[in-house]
Amino acid sequence: MNAPLGAAVAASLTLASTLAANAGGYTPPVVDSGVVAPIVETAPVGDWAGGYAGLTLGYAFGGDDRVGFTETESGTYLGDAGDLELSGANAGVHIGYRWQRDRWVFGPELGFEAGNIEDNFSFSNELGGTTDVSSKIKNVLALRLKTGYSVRPDLLVYGIAGIARADVEYKVAGTDGSGGSVSENRDFKNNGYIVGLGVEKKFSDRMSVTGEYEYANFGKTARTFELDGAATTQATPDYHNVKLGLNFKF
């Protein structure tokens, strides 16, 4: 066999073996693009669910209870006597439970508050003496619903809406020109409502601090006094309240 013929035979054998190796089909070359698919991470959500208890310290202000007297028998309006602008410090305890759906947090809270939310004023009466009117919120029992959103794992903002019952001390005392004096208490309890906003910040898994603003209104309650003939007034206690609190999660 001469050299050209041998080269041709060798090339034929090489081609045959290549075709045999690829008899199962064409296999395209693998090209590494070097691009890695990004990993999408879900932002962490704080755990706010469960029971908790706590306490608050607050200061009430901006109450507006206009006092005007009406002669009870005739219905004649005797005029305005003045305004009771309720304000003062208060403290409370509360217990509640929260559920959580993703970032939304909601649940009831039962609270009790007491303090010195009060005011008084005096005016000259027709007997030549003075009349003193005073009102004081002795305590408040409230059931609140708080609904919030976890803007960060350790930070919750929420709205407040609830019903409340206030124990109110309402008093009118008077003197006359001869030095005589008389005093009458017409204490009462009345239902009302509370609305507000709050924020809560965790500083550990179980402990957090709160800051809240609330408005409380306890409607109208008629009070009749017999100091100088029967006269009736409408007690309308309300106030704004800012509070700082501490919560402990069970």
Side-chain angles (χ1 to χ4, degrees), residues 60 63-65 67 83-91 112-121 132-140 165-172 184-190 218 221 223 225 235-239:
D64 185 14
D65 185 353
V67 179
D83 290 319
L84 291 166
E85 299 178 353
L86 301 178
S87 63
N90 55 92
F112 179 83
E113 298 167 3
N116 294 311
I117 305 175
E118 59 186 337
D119 192 27
N120 63 82
F121 66 86
D132 300 323
V133 182
S134 65
S135 179
K136 177 181 179 179
I137 307 291
K138 295 196 291 187
N139 57 69
V140 175
R165 185 169 180 81
D167 187 354
V168 184
E169 179 183 89
Y170 203 86
K171 180 179 179 180
V172 172
E184 294 184 11
N185 283 19
R186 293 292 183 267
D187 298 355
F188 64 94
K189 295 182 180 181
N190 204 28
F218 297 99
T221 303
R223 301 288 86 192
F225 298 90
T236 58
D238 71 342
Y239 56 87

Side-chain angles (χ1 to χ4, degrees), residues 24-46:
Y26 172 73
T27 303
V30 178
V31 178
D32 186 0
S33 65
V35 178
V36 179
I39 299 175
V40 179
E41 295 184 358
T42 303
V45 177

Side-chain angles (χ1 to χ4, degrees), residues 45-237:
V45 177
D47 180 15
W48 298 92
Y52 66 95
L55 54 87
T56 58
L57 292 174
Y59 186 81
F61 63 96
D64 185 14
D65 185 353
R66 177 165 290 276
V67 179
F69 288 98
T70 300
E71 190 176 45
T72 304
E73 185 175 351
S74 66
T76 302
Y77 187 63
L78 303 176
D80 290 344
D83 290 319
L84 291 166
E85 299 178 353
L86 301 178
S87 63
N90 55 92
V93 294
H94 57 261
I95 186 169
Y97 192 89
R98 295 187 282 216
W99 293 272
Q100 184 167 351
R101 298 293 182 269
D102 191 28
R103 292 180 179 272
W104 291 99
V105 182
F106 54 92
E109 179 183 287
L110 181 65
F112 179 83
E113 298 167 3
N116 294 311
I117 305 175
E118 59 186 337
D119 192 27
N120 63 82
F121 66 86
S122 299
F123 63 94
S124 298
N125 58 38
E126 297 178 351
L127 301 178
T130 60
T131 299
D132 300 323
V133 182
S134 65
S135 179
K136 177 181 179 179
I137 307 291
K138 295 196 291 187
N139 57 69
V140 175
L141 180 66
L143 178 62
R144 299 171 173 89
L145 176 64
K146 295 185 174 182
T147 303
Y149 187 81
S150 179
V151 296
R152 294 202 318 247
D154 63 343
L155 187 65
L156 180 72
V157 295
Y158 54 90
I160 304 167
I163 56 174
R165 185 169 180 81
D167 187 354
V168 184
E169 179 183 89
Y170 203 86
K171 180 179 179 180
V172 172
T175 62
D176 56 31
S178 63
S181 64
V182 64
S183 176
E184 294 184 11
N185 283 19
R186 293 292 183 267
D187 298 355
F188 64 94
K189 295 182 180 181
N190 204 28
N191 297 329
Y193 66 89
I194 292 175
V195 293
L197 297 170
V199 61
E200 185 169 352
K201 176 72 168 63
K202 286 184 178 182
F203 58 86
S204 73
D205 289 340
R206 293 186 176 274
M207 302 291 288
S208 59
V209 293
T210 62
E212 296 179 342
Y213 159 78
E214 291 183 338
Y215 171 72
N217 187 303
F218 297 99
K220 296 182 179 181
T221 303
R223 301 288 86 192
T224 300
F225 298 90
E226 306 287 344
L227 296 179
D228 181 26
T232 300
T233 185
Q234 294 279 355
T236 58

